Amino acid sequence: SFRQNPEVLNSSDLYKKIPPNVEKTISSICNRLVSRNQLYSQILSLEQRLNVPPNFAALYPTNSSSQFKKWRCVPWKKRFLNDANAEELQNLGIVDEDTFVYKAEFQRGSAILSVLVVISPEYPVKTPILLLNLNWNGLHTTVSNFALRELEEEVNIHFIESLSPEFKDNILLCQLHHLGVCFDVFLETEYSGDSFEGPHEFQREKVVVKFARGSSRSRPYKCVSSQGIFTYR
């Protein structure tokens, strides 16, 4: 009985008897549940607006004209499989039926940036992938537009590599915020004749460093927080 064997009620002794491999598995499951809850909180937030932690927002200039317009879930069978990127993503092993897929949209003036957001079930070990299409003076994809491909690389690779650990709990929100700011830079530095000022439709708001090493098609997406300027990677 329990009275005859009080050791059974000693939980600390029970935990000591858990094999290390089982303890590691339990810890892994707990961490995954915490990460999934953090992801769920971010997704709920995006259904209302793009709201990043104040200390992250403070790293960027406050003058941003790109607006976060849409966020919706993309059903796997009904919509995603009809997407132009679906076959390639499946062949690369990036998506399967367990993958979370969403569509977001940023807009500034007549320019609309559509974002296919692919979130692995292994999040945050595997970070979200943002796939871009631009509707502005025609439809542009990363296949046909170098600048758009560079922007996609910025948000999926360079930004993730440089993100401070303190913001890892909000990777998705921070990634989308960075994309919105970089979309401003993209439009404001779009080549216009012999000028670096960009199209007249998009008034220059960001302070950017002009490329000083000859001609380059790259854009200054790296934000130097202490000075409020954008420079090159």
Side-chain angles (χ1 to χ4, degrees), residues 147-167:
L148 194 63
R149 185 162 65 251
E150 184 186 35
L151 177 56
E152 190 174 274
E153 181 179 311
E154 167 65 27
V155 295
N156 288 314
I157 300 176
H158 302 307
F159 171 73
I160 295 298
E161 291 176 345
S162 62
L163 185 64
S164 171
E166 67 179 301
F167 302 120

Side-chain angles (χ1 to χ4, degrees), residues 42-59:
Q42 292 177 80
I43 291 172
L44 282 180
S45 172
L46 288 167
E47 291 176 357
Q48 304 298 322
R49 59 177 179 169
L50 177 52
N51 189 23
V52 295
N55 54 337
F56 180 80
L59 299 176

Side-chain angles (χ1 to χ4, degrees), residues 168-225:
K168 295 296 185 181
D169 293 345
N170 291 286
I171 292 177
L172 178 59
L173 294 178
C174 295
Q175 200 173 5
L176 287 168
H177 181 84
H178 183 68
L179 174 60
V181 175
C182 288
F183 186 41
D184 274 339
V185 175
F186 175 96
L187 295 172
E188 292 173 20
T189 58
E190 179 67 13
Y191 180 74
S192 179
D194 59 355
S195 171
F196 189 67
E197 291 301 315
H200 294 297
E201 180 183 356
F202 307 113
Q203 182 179 355
R204 173 65 60 83
E205 297 174 345
K206 306 294 183 294
V207 179
V208 300
V209 175
K210 189 172 182 179
F211 199 81
R213 292 173 289 175
S215 61
S216 173
R217 295 186 296 169
S218 294
R219 307 294 175 93
Y221 292 133
K222 180 181 178 181
C223 182
V224 182
S225 305

Side-chain angles (χ1 to χ4, degrees), residues 15 18-32:
Y15 283 117
I18 296 177
N21 61 323
V22 175
E23 185 177 358
K24 184 177 180 180
T25 300
I26 293 174
S27 177
S28 177
I29 292 173
C30 289
N31 289 336
R32 188 167 183 176

Side-chain angles (χ1 to χ4, degrees), residues 32 35-36 96 98-100 119-127:
R32 188 167 183 176
S35 296
R36 184 60 59 88
D96 56 32
D98 295 323
T99 304
F100 304 103
I119 306 174
S120 168
E122 296 179 46
Y123 172 95
V125 176
K126 292 184 177 180
T127 55

Side-chain angles (χ1 to χ4, degrees), residues 3-21:
R3 290 185 179 180
Q4 293 174 334
N5 188 10
E7 184 181 0
V8 174
L9 298 178
N10 193 328
S11 59
S12 61
D13 287 339
L14 284 175
Y15 283 117
K16 289 178 182 178
K17 295 178 181 179
I18 296 177
N21 61 323

